[in-house]
Amino acid sequence: MLIDVAIKEVNGLILFFEEYRDTGLSKAIDVAKEIAVEMDINPVFPQKRIIRRKWQFDENPIDETDVSLSVEESFKMNYFLYIVDQAIVSLKRRFDQYKEYEKTFGFLFNSNKLHSFDDKSLNSCCLHLEAALKNSEESDIDANELYVG
């Protein structure tokens, strides 16, 4: 897999979801209403029953009329934005991982990129790879041997 292609695609997905967060719900509702009309279904959000609880004598009841949201706003706040935000966070975490892999191993993934480095840059990449793969004082590779090889 070409890591630079994966980075570009994940970045594109992040941008898509950030735009979808702002405009996606209204577009999805419009499409759903069109489908509902074609199927002869009433295109409305069903109203959830309001659950009221009994208050104890020492509690101050909160006026629920001020706190209540419309059905669409409730769906947007409690479901849609939550799911889209979780997707964005997950993609950003993956994007950061790919950037870290690119920084460590990127010079090895593409032969054109490997040939484009000058000697100083290539040696620096080999030293960085050795440091990344080092455990205490044990290392799986020797940067100088990798650079010469």
Side-chain angles (χ1 to χ4, degrees):
M1 173 165 109
L2 298 173
I3 194 81
D4 54 338
V5 173
I7 289 172
K8 183 176 136 193
E9 293 298 321
V10 170
N11 193 33
L13 274 173
I14 291 169
L15 294 175
F16 169 78
F17 271 108
E18 286 174 345
E19 181 181 330
Y20 188 74
R21 185 182 193 281
D22 298 330
T23 61
L25 182 62
S26 61
K27 290 178 184 178
I29 288 175
D30 292 341
V31 170
K33 285 180 180 179
E34 290 175 12
I35 293 171
V37 168
E38 289 175 10
M39 296 175 65
D40 291 331
I41 299 173
N42 192 10
V44 295
F45 274 95
Q47 179 71 32
K48 289 173 54 174
R49 185 174 71 90
I50 298 174
I51 299 173
R52 302 199 189 272
R53 72 176 196 75
K54 292 183 180 180
W55 298 99
Q56 301 296 323
F57 71 92
D58 61 342
E59 288 183 309
N60 292 329
I62 300 171
D63 187 17
E64 294 177 4
T65 57
D66 295 337
V67 179
S68 65
L69 299 171
S70 71
V71 178
E72 287 187 32
E73 281 297 315
S74 175
F75 175 79
K76 180 179 180 180
M77 298 296 290
N78 297 324
Y79 181 74
F80 179 77
L81 291 179
Y82 177 78
I83 297 296
V84 173
D85 287 343
Q86 288 296 319
I88 291 171
V89 167
S90 177
L91 286 169
K92 284 185 178 180
R93 190 175 323 124
R94 182 64 50 106
F95 181 75
D96 291 341
Q97 283 178 331
Y98 284 161
K99 291 298 271 183
E100 192 64 33
Y101 295 155
E102 171 70 22
K103 190 170 73 173
T104 305
F105 303 106
F107 72 103
L108 297 173
F109 287 137
N110 189 337
S111 63
N112 293 334
K113 193 171 188 179
L114 188 61
H115 289 299
S116 68
F117 284 119
D118 61 0
D119 289 338
K120 185 177 179 180
S121 298
L122 186 58
N123 190 22
S124 173
C125 289
C126 292
L127 289 170
H128 184 69
L129 180 63
E130 179 185 11
L133 297 176
K134 188 178 276 192
N135 183 13
S136 298
E137 295 301 317
E138 300 286 325
S139 181
D140 290 335
I141 64 167
D142 180 14
N144 293 325
E145 288 181 14
L146 183 62
Y147 173 70
V148 172

